[in-house]
């Protein structure tokens, strides 16, 4: 059982980091970023190229992943989402754009990196084995790094000037603008940060699970699940949702093993019931 | 008065032209050119536009529905199971599949229709996954192997008069399927048009704008939402049932999240403000994808690139070109 909980905790840290990026973009722009999974995959492939192929240090690869995705995110916001939001009669039109960018990134990833499953050499060798828990050291390192990134993100949002501006924007766009917050600039920074987080998790997880061009969609769905559990647009909710989903997956895979591959069916069903009782998730704001 | 009479005659004329095109011109042209493979493409377009019409209806009450694939899958399985396991004829399974989906959507819709915006979108998205996983897990759906070799639709006769001949005996079952799909599409969009221009349609529009306000002046919003969602799922189920009949098989992966997203994209592309938007959107997206097939590995890149450009230029859908800009 300790093993199951340790696995769940490790998964949860990764998931929380994915969900944070998605929820940040949603909070700032009311955009449901369908391309989040694809950004994750792209981050994974960049780390694969820099660390696995070119042989540069892992930290450099991780930085490259984060930076590339941040630039892509900023450009997407500036040239695509901002324009469509301004011109469209209905806010939901951004969903078509988001889906189209997801397809676009999928196509680019497929062209650049092919469809093979890719992995990289382990970053740390050895296995932690004590008190009934078996965890390879690289998982521990990746889990710890994820926790550090989460903490850094939360602190940044809480105490930096940029973070404060973004929180104001998420709370009330018009009021923030009236108080002199440069809405356009911080929307762009927020989108870039969200994309950067996706890229970083991709870079972290490629060292463990590897990456292939087809996992973007499923990752997006998982990210949506976490955001729904925790509540859309709330930092705390995304973290909670990530850990809850990680734990449910880990426990479910063990407990429900004899019934076949039904873990996600059970999770979905539970989520439906949960959402009918609490439509806005654990901590979400009501929509409308 | 004269102007109204004129617009009415214009409407009747355009409907007549449309019917003439789909029922006479298209079969004649295909027969002349010998491209019978186009029947399959056009049949798919007709069926997908029925499912998309359902999605459009949920947009009309202000909900983003990315779960139509679930109902299409459900409809396909209901029809397939009734035909294969219980020896039903295909024709009665068509309305049964639709009604089954409508009933299921009432049960599912009652809790989830309380959600709004992205929450509803995300729940319906996961609904598609639930449907796929259920089809994999349930014993009656035959798991990942799916249901195969479903017999073609048989003859349909009323009081001894054969209305529709047995599809298996037809020389050109593709044409038969095309006519069936197009007829259903015409009926479906006629129903949609009538619905949108009725009192219920106006009430639905009030939901789209402000549910609280609508509720405060006595609109039964919970009832309307469920009705609209049930009609939407009915369309999805019927489309799925015919798809299963055409391909004579159905698998858990017959309708996936991608299909659900595509149904939604069809509506966006055609224009959310126009009843016939989903039809146009489906036609353009499906044919665009088919035409780009020659570009090989760049197909998806060009397709999605065009979609992004289209979104930047015409964010309110293709049909917004025809309509005068209502802003200002």
């Amino acid at each position: 059982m300790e093993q199951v909980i340790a696995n769940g905790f490790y998964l949860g840290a990764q998931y929380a980091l994915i969900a944070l990026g998605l929820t940040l973009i949603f909070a700032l722009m009311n955009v449901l970023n369908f391309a989040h999974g694809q950004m994750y995959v792209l981050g994974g492939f960049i780390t694969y190229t820099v660390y696995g192929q070119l042989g540069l240090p892992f930290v450099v690869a991780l930085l490259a992943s984060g930076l590339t995705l941040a630039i892509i995110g900023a450009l997407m916001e500036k040239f695509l989402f901002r324009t469509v939001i301004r011109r469209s009669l209905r806010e939901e039109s951004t969903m078509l754009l988001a889906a189209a960018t997801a397809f676009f990134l999928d196509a680019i990833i497929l062209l650049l990196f092919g469809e093979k499953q890719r992995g990289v050499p382990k970053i740390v060798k050895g296995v932690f084995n004590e008190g009934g828990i078996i965890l390879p050291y690289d998982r521990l390192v990746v889990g710890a790094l994820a926790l550090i990134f989460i903490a850094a993100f939360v602190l940044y949002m809480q105490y930096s000037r940029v973070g404060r501006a973004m929180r104001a924007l998420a709370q009330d766009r018009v009021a923030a603008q009236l108080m002199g917050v440069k809405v356009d600039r911080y929307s762009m920074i927020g989108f870039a940060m969200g994309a950067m987080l996706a890229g970083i998790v991709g870079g972290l997880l490629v060292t463990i699970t590897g990456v292939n061009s087809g996992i973007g969609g499923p990752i997006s769905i998982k990210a949506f699940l976490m955001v729904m559990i925790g509540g859309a647009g709330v930092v705390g909710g995304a973290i909670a949702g990530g850990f809850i989903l990680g734990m449910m997956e880990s426990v479910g895979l063990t407990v429900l093993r004899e019934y076949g591959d039904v873990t996600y069916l059970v999770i979905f069903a539970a989520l439906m019931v949960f959402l009918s009782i609490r439509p806005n998730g654990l901590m979400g704001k009501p929509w409308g | 008065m004269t102007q109204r009479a004129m617009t009415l005659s214009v409407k009747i004329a355009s409907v007549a032209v449309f019917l003439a095109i789909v029922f006479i011109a298209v079969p004649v042209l295909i027969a002349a050119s010998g491209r019978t493979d186009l029947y399959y493409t056009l049949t798919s377009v007709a069926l997908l536009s029925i499912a998309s019409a359902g999605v459009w209806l949920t947009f009309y009450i202000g909900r983003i529905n990315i779960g139509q694939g679930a109902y299409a899958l459900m409809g396909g399985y209901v029809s397939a199971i009734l035909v294969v396991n219980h020896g039903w004829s295909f024709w009665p399974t068509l309305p049964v599949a639709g009604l089954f989906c409508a009933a299921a959507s009432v049960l599912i819709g009652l809790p989830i229709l309380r959600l709004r915006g992205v929450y509803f979108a995300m729940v319906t998205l996961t609904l598609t996954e639930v449907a796929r996983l259920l089809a994999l897990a349930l014993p009656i759906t035959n798991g990942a192997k799916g249901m195969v070799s479903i017999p073609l639709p048989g003859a349909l006769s009323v009081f001894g008069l054969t209305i529709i001949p047995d599809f298996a005996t037809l020389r050109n079952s593709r044409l038969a399927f095309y006519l069936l799909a197009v007829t259903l599409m015409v009926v479906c969009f006629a129903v949609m048009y009538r619905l949108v221009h009725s009192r219920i349609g106006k009430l639905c529009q009030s939901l789209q704008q402000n549910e609280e306000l609508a509720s405060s002046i006595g609109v039964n919003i919970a009832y309307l939402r469920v009705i609209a969602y049930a009609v939407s799922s009915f369309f999805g189920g019927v489309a799925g049932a015919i798809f299963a009949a055409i391909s004579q098989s159905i698998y858990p992966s017959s309708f996936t999240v991608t299909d659900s997203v595509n149904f939604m994209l069809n509506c966006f592309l055609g224009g959310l403000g126009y009843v016939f938007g989903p039809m146009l959107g489906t036609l353009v997206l499906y044919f665009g994808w088919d035409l780009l097939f020659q570009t090989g590995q760049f197909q998806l890149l060009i397709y999605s690139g065009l979609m992004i450009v289209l979104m930047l230029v015409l964010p309110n859908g293709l049909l917004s070109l025809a309509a005068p800009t209502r802003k200002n």
Side-chain angles (χ1 to χ4, degrees), chain A residues 26 80 87-90 92-93 95-96 103-104 107-108 111 224-225 228 232 268 272 275-276 279 287, chain B residues 59 64 111 114-119 122-123 125-127 130 208 265 268 297 301 304 311-312 315-316 327:
Chain A
F26 175 73
L80 301 180
R87 289 190 191 160
S88 169
L89 295 178
R90 286 179 71 166
E92 295 99 313
S93 299
M95 286 182 83
L96 171 59
F103 289 149
F104 193 74
I108 288 184
L111 283 177
F224 292 167
L225 283 182
M228 271 191 284
F268 286 139
M272 293 265 175
L275 280 179
S276 59
W287 164 285
Chain B
F59 269 115
I64 308 161
R114 293 165 59 216
L115 308 175
R116 291 186 202 180
V118 278
Y119 289 96
M122 290 190 287
V123 169
L125 186 75
T126 54
L127 198 62
V130 171
Q208 181 191 327
L265 296 186
F268 271 126
Q297 55 174 338
L301 189 74
S304 54
M311 202 59 216
L312 288 176
N316 299 314
K327 262 187 171 177

Side-chain angles (χ1 to χ4, degrees), chain B residues 248-265:
Chain B
Q248 296 188 278
S249 61
I250 184 147
Y251 304 94
S253 56
S254 290
F255 292 98
T256 57
V257 169
T258 321
D259 295 285
S260 284
V261 171
N262 278 334
F263 291 139
M264 177 192 73
L265 296 186

Side-chain angles (χ1 to χ4, degrees), chain B residues 10-61:
Chain B
V10 166
K11 267 181 196 163
I12 291 175
S14 44
V15 168
V17 168
F18 177 75
L19 291 180
I21 289 176
V22 295
F23 283 112
I24 301 168
V26 167
V28 166
L29 281 178
I30 288 180
S33 65
R35 291 278 312 270
T36 42
D37 57 310
L38 276 181
Y39 275 133
Y40 183 74
T41 318
L42 286 171
T43 309
S44 305
V45 169
L47 293 179
L48 292 175
S49 67
I50 293 176
S52 305
V55 177
W56 187 88
L57 195 62
T58 34
F59 269 115
Y60 204 65
I61 58 166

